[in-house]
Amino acid sequence: MRYALDLAARAGEQDEVPVGAVIIQDDKVIGEGWNRAISTNDPTAHAEVVAMRAAAQQLGNYRLSGSTLYVTLEPCLMCAGAMIHARIGRLVFGAYDSKRGAVNSTMHAFDTRGLNHRLDVYGGVLEQDCADQLLRFFRVRRS
């Protein structure tokens, strides 16, 4: 998660919302990313999606079975759906997102009936560090 926080800092340096994600498989980094939606004019360029794209390219396979995705903020519905399609094995996230978090906060996307894949989920890892990074960013942006 500390590495994901470092990636989130890169997003903040680029005036993007500071969210970072890293994907690990067999104790190796196979993908990483940070929010790039603003700089790329791409509404799907959330940290999780950027990291999944990188991991899929690294493996030569869009299925990321057995991998763990670490992200500094609870994923939105789009990212949760992408994780299901990619067959991410485990999700570990930092701060909860009371407005858009689709894993625990506003809904429980992974509990939807009919899904053909389930993830193990662990939330609140380094929660305060992750939340503080976002709070600092928005405090500066609003001033």
Side-chain angles (χ1 to χ4, degrees):
M1 186 61 75
R2 295 228 181 264
Y3 185 53
L5 279 163
D6 291 342
L7 295 171
R10 288 187 197 179
E13 291 165 4
Q14 298 171 9
D15 290 326
E16 298 274 2
V17 176
V19 177
V22 61
I23 301 176
I24 307 293
Q25 188 177 67
D26 298 325
D27 297 322
K28 290 187 274 188
V29 173
I30 60 168
E32 63 182 47
W34 55 88
N35 274 359
R36 294 184 179 163
I38 297 167
S39 61
T40 62
N41 297 309
D42 179 357
T44 68
H46 290 193
E48 301 94 309
V49 172
V50 173
M52 284 186 278
R53 287 176 181 154
Q57 289 299 308
Q58 171 76 17
L59 296 179
N61 190 341
Y62 73 104
R63 298 285 195 220
L64 305 175
S65 302
S67 64
T68 299
L69 190 154
Y70 294 85
V71 62
T72 57
L73 183 65
E74 179 182 1
C76 70
L77 186 57
M78 175 188 69
C79 292
M83 287 177 217
I84 292 164
H85 287 291
R87 305 296 194 271
I88 297 288
R90 181 170 64 154
L91 165 67
V92 180
F93 69 88
Y96 288 83
D97 185 346
S98 64
K99 293 181 182 176
R100 287 167 291 282
V103 176
N104 286 313
S105 295
T106 65
M107 62 176 50
H108 297 272
F110 297 138
D111 294 336
T112 303
R113 283 186 35 218
L115 294 179
N116 61 346
H117 178 70
R118 303 285 175 194
L119 290 80
D120 293 326
V121 177
Y122 304 90
V125 175
L126 295 180
E127 180 178 4
Q128 196 60 57
D129 292 342
C130 294
D132 287 347
Q133 187 176 48
L134 287 159
L135 290 170
R136 282 190 306 272
F137 174 81
F138 285 112
R139 191 177 307 125
V140 167
R141 197 162 201 191
R142 289 183 183 119
S143 60

